[in-house]
PDB file of all heavy atoms in Angstrom:
ATOM      1  N   GLY J 440      22.884  -9.796 -25.023  1.00 84.00           N
ATOM      2  CA  GLY J 440      24.030 -10.692 -24.853  1.00 84.00           C
ATOM      3  C   GLY J 440      24.889 -10.772 -26.093  1.00 84.00           C
ATOM      4  O   GLY J 440      26.128 -10.651 -26.018  1.00 84.00           O
ATOM      5  N   TYR J 441      24.275 -10.992 -27.254  1.00 83.00           N
ATOM      6  CA  TYR J 441      25.047 -11.108 -28.491  1.00 83.00           C
ATOM      7  C   TYR J 441      25.745  -9.788 -28.820  1.00 83.00           C
ATOM      8  O   TYR J 441      26.912  -9.780 -29.234  1.00 83.00           O
ATOM      9  CB  TYR J 441      24.142 -11.517 -29.639  1.00 83.00           C
ATOM     10  CG  TYR J 441      24.867 -11.594 -30.964  1.00 83.00           C
ATOM     11  CD1 TYR J 441      25.650 -12.695 -31.281  1.00 83.00           C
ATOM     12  CD2 TYR J 441      24.776 -10.552 -31.887  1.00 83.00           C
ATOM     13  CE1 TYR J 441      26.337 -12.766 -32.495  1.00 83.00           C
ATOM     14  CE2 TYR J 441      25.460 -10.612 -33.095  1.00 83.00           C
ATOM     15  CZ  TYR J 441      26.232 -11.720 -33.396  1.00 83.00           C
ATOM     16  OH  TYR J 441      26.917 -11.779 -34.587  1.00 83.00           O
ATOM     17  N   LEU J 442      25.036  -8.659 -28.661  1.00 81.00           N
ATOM     18  CA  LEU J 442      25.626  -7.349 -28.950  1.00 81.00           C
ATOM     19  C   LEU J 442      26.874  -7.124 -28.096  1.00 81.00           C
ATOM     20  O   LEU J 442      27.922  -6.708 -28.607  1.00 81.00           O
ATOM     21  CB  LEU J 442      24.599  -6.248 -28.671  1.00 81.00           C
ATOM     22  CG  LEU J 442      25.104  -4.809 -28.759  1.00 81.00           C
ATOM     23  CD1 LEU J 442      25.305  -4.394 -30.200  1.00 81.00           C
ATOM     24  CD2 LEU J 442      24.137  -3.849 -28.070  1.00 81.00           C
ATOM     25  N   ILE J 443      26.779  -7.426 -26.814  1.00 86.00           N
ATOM     26  CA  ILE J 443      27.904  -7.185 -25.909  1.00 86.00           C
ATOM     27  C   ILE J 443      29.057  -8.137 -26.201  1.00 86.00           C
ATOM     28  O   ILE J 443      30.213  -7.719 -26.353  1.00 86.00           O
ATOM     29  CB  ILE J 443      27.438  -7.323 -24.450  1.00 86.00           C
ATOM     30  CG1 ILE J 443      26.460  -6.196 -24.100  1.00 86.00           C
ATOM     31  CG2 ILE J 443      28.626  -7.319 -23.491  1.00 86.00           C
ATOM     32  CD1 ILE J 443      25.823  -6.327 -22.735  1.00 86.00           C
ATOM     33  N   GLU J 444      28.766  -9.433 -26.294  1.00 87.00           N
ATOM     34  CA  GLU J 444      29.837 -10.417 -26.472  1.00 87.00           C
ATOM     35  C   GLU J 444      30.537 -10.271 -27.816  1.00 87.00           C
ATOM     36  O   GLU J 444      31.769 -10.238 -27.882  1.00 87.00           O
ATOM     37  CB  GLU J 444      29.271 -11.832 -26.343  1.00 87.00           C
ATOM     38  CG  GLU J 444      30.344 -12.898 -26.522  1.00 87.00           C
ATOM     39  CD  GLU J 444      29.784 -14.299 -26.614  1.00 87.00           C
ATOM     40  OE1 GLU J 444      28.544 -14.443 -26.732  1.00 87.00           O
ATOM     41  OE2 GLU J 444      30.577 -15.262 -26.597  1.00 87.00           O
ATOM     42  N   SER J 445      29.763 -10.176 -28.888  1.00 85.00           N
ATOM     43  CA  SER J 445      30.378 -10.133 -30.219  1.00 85.00           C
ATOM     44  C   SER J 445      31.226  -8.883 -30.409  1.00 85.00           C
ATOM     45  O   SER J 445      32.345  -8.962 -30.947  1.00 85.00           O
ATOM     46  CB  SER J 445      29.290 -10.200 -31.296  1.00 85.00           C
ATOM     47  OG  SER J 445      28.391  -9.114 -31.184  1.00 85.00           O
ATOM     48  N   ASN J 446      30.738  -7.735 -29.954  1.00 87.00           N
ATOM     49  CA  ASN J 446      31.521  -6.503 -30.122  1.00 87.00           C
ATOM     50  C   ASN J 446      32.713  -6.456 -29.181  1.00 87.00           C
ATOM     51  O   ASN J 446      33.755  -5.869 -29.520  1.00 87.00           O
ATOM     52  CB  ASN J 446      30.622  -5.286 -29.908  1.00 87.00           C
ATOM     53  CG  ASN J 446      29.694  -5.048 -31.080  1.00 87.00           C
ATOM     54  OD1 ASN J 446      30.109  -4.618 -32.144  1.00 87.00           O
ATOM     55  ND2 ASN J 446      28.418  -5.356 -30.893  1.00 87.00           N
ATOM     56  N   TYR J 447      32.596  -7.071 -28.026  1.00 89.00           N
ATOM     57  CA  TYR J 447      33.740  -7.167 -27.103  1.00 89.00           C
ATOM     58  C   TYR J 447      34.853  -7.997 -27.735  1.00 89.00           C
ATOM     59  O   TYR J 447      36.032  -7.579 -27.761  1.00 89.00           O
ATOM     60  CB  TYR J 447      33.277  -7.788 -25.793  1.00 89.00           C
ATOM     61  CG  TYR J 447      34.389  -8.119 -24.826  1.00 89.00           C
ATOM     62  CD1 TYR J 447      35.038  -7.117 -24.103  1.00 89.00           C
ATOM     63  CD2 TYR J 447      34.792  -9.435 -24.628  1.00 89.00           C
ATOM     64  CE1 TYR J 447      36.059  -7.414 -23.212  1.00 89.00           C
ATOM     65  CE2 TYR J 447      35.811  -9.751 -23.747  1.00 89.00           C
ATOM     66  CZ  TYR J 447      36.440  -8.741 -23.040  1.00 89.00           C
ATOM     67  OH  TYR J 447      37.448  -9.050 -22.166  1.00 89.00           O
ATOM     68  N   ARG J 448      34.510  -9.144 -28.283  1.00 89.00           N
ATOM     69  CA  ARG J 448      35.526 -10.027 -28.850  1.00 89.00           C
ATOM     70  C   ARG J 448      36.099  -9.473 -30.155  1.00 89.00           C
ATOM     71  O   ARG J 448      37.290  -9.620 -30.436  1.00 89.00           O
ATOM     72  CB  ARG J 448      34.923 -11.413 -29.049  1.00 89.00           C
ATOM     73  CG  ARG J 448      34.593 -12.084 -27.711  1.00 89.00           C
ATOM     74  CD  ARG J 448      33.825 -13.367 -27.857  1.00 89.00           C
ATOM     75  NE  ARG J 448      34.586 -14.398 -28.537  1.00 89.00           N
ATOM     76  CZ  ARG J 448      34.130 -15.628 -28.766  1.00 89.00           C
ATOM     77  NH1 ARG J 448      32.911 -15.954 -28.361  1.00 89.00           N
ATOM     78  NH2 ARG J 448      34.877 -16.509 -29.388  1.00 89.00           N
ATOM     79  N   ARG J 449      35.260  -8.825 -30.953  1.00 88.00           N
ATOM     80  CA  ARG J 449      35.771  -8.214 -32.185  1.00 88.00           C
ATOM     81  C   ARG J 449      36.722  -7.067 -31.875  1.00 88.00           C
ATOM     82  O   ARG J 449      37.715  -6.852 -32.581  1.00 88.00           O
ATOM     83  CB  ARG J 449      34.608  -7.720 -33.031  1.00 88.00           C
ATOM     84  CG  ARG J 449      33.814  -8.831 -33.697  1.00 88.00           C
ATOM     85  CD  ARG J 449      32.507  -8.323 -34.268  1.00 88.00           C
ATOM     86  NE  ARG J 449      31.735  -9.394 -34.890  1.00 88.00           N
ATOM     87  CZ  ARG J 449      30.448  -9.315 -35.186  1.00 88.00           C
ATOM     88  NH1 ARG J 449      29.787  -8.183 -34.933  1.00 88.00           N
ATOM     89  NH2 ARG J 449      29.826 -10.333 -35.738  1.00 88.00           N
ATOM     90  N   SER J 450      36.416  -6.328 -30.813  1.00 89.00           N
ATOM     91  CA  SER J 450      37.299  -5.224 -30.418  1.00 89.00           C
ATOM     92  C   SER J 450      38.658  -5.753 -30.008  1.00 89.00           C
ATOM     93  O   SER J 450      39.708  -5.188 -30.366  1.00 89.00           O
ATOM     94  CB  SER J 450      36.670  -4.441 -29.260  1.00 89.00           C
ATOM     95  OG  SER J 450      35.434  -3.891 -29.641  1.00 89.00           O
ATOM     96  N   LEU J 451      38.661  -6.846 -29.242  1.00 88.00           N
ATOM     97  CA  LEU J 451      39.931  -7.409 -28.781  1.00 88.00           C
ATOM     98  C   LEU J 451      40.730  -8.017 -29.933  1.00 88.00           C
ATOM     99  O   LEU J 451      41.971  -8.028 -29.888  1.00 88.00           O
ATOM    100  CB  LEU J 451      39.681  -8.470 -27.701  1.00 88.00           C
ATOM    101  CG  LEU J 451      39.115  -7.950 -26.376  1.00 88.00           C
ATOM    102  CD1 LEU J 451      38.990  -9.082 -25.370  1.00 88.00           C
ATOM    103  CD2 LEU J 451      39.984  -6.836 -25.803  1.00 88.00           C
ATOM    104  N   GLU J 452      40.046  -8.507 -30.964  1.00 87.00           N
ATOM    105  CA  GLU J 452      40.761  -9.034 -32.123  1.00 87.00           C
ATOM    106  C   GLU J 452      41.534  -7.935 -32.846  1.00 87.00           C
ATOM    107  O   GLU J 452      42.595  -8.177 -33.433  1.00 87.00           O
ATOM    108  CB  GLU J 452      39.773  -9.697 -33.092  1.00 87.00           C
ATOM    109  CG  GLU J 452      39.296 -11.067 -32.630  1.00 87.00           C
ATOM    110  CD  GLU J 452      38.441 -11.753 -33.676  1.00 87.00           C
ATOM    111  OE1 GLU J 452      38.149 -11.102 -34.709  1.00 87.00           O
ATOM    112  OE2 GLU J 452      38.059 -12.914 -33.463  1.00 87.00           O
ATOM    113  N   LEU J 453      41.013  -6.721 -32.801  1.00 85.00           N
ATOM    114  CA  LEU J 453      41.693  -5.598 -33.461  1.00 85.00           C
ATOM    115  C   LEU J 453      42.995  -5.224 -32.764  1.00 85.00           C
ATOM    116  O   LEU J 453      43.888  -4.644 -33.388  1.00 85.00           O
ATOM    117  CB  LEU J 453      40.763  -4.379 -33.507  1.00 85.00           C
ATOM    118  CG  LEU J 453      39.483  -4.520 -34.340  1.00 85.00           C
ATOM    119  CD1 LEU J 453      38.616  -3.283 -34.196  1.00 85.00           C
ATOM    120  CD2 LEU J 453      39.825  -4.768 -35.810  1.00 85.00           C
ATOM    121  N   THR J 454      43.081  -5.522 -31.457  1.00 85.00           N
ATOM    122  CA  THR J 454      44.273  -5.124 -30.683  1.00 85.00           C
ATOM    123  C   THR J 454      45.010  -6.319 -30.105  1.00 85.00           C
ATOM    124  O   THR J 454      45.808  -6.157 -29.174  1.00 85.00           O
ATOM    125  CB  THR J 454      43.857  -4.195 -29.535  1.00 85.00           C
ATOM    126  OG1 THR J 454      42.899  -4.886 -28.709  1.00 85.00           O
ATOM    127  CG2 THR J 454      43.238  -2.916 -30.056  1.00 85.00           C
ATOM    128  N   ALA J 455      44.746  -7.516 -30.646  1.00 82.00           N
ATOM    129  CA  ALA J 455      45.396  -8.738 -30.169  1.00 82.00           C
ATOM    130  C   ALA J 455      45.181  -8.934 -28.666  1.00 82.00           C
ATOM    131  O   ALA J 455      46.095  -9.336 -27.934  1.00 82.00           O
ATOM    132  CB  ALA J 455      46.892  -8.713 -30.498  1.00 82.00           C
TER     133      ALA J 455
END
Side-chain angles (χ1 to χ4, degrees):
Y441 177 79
L442 173 74
I443 293 174
E444 180 189 10
S445 60
N446 286 288
Y447 172 75
R448 293 172 65 179
R449 287 167 181 164
S450 299
L451 293 183
E452 284 186 355
L453 296 175
T454 58

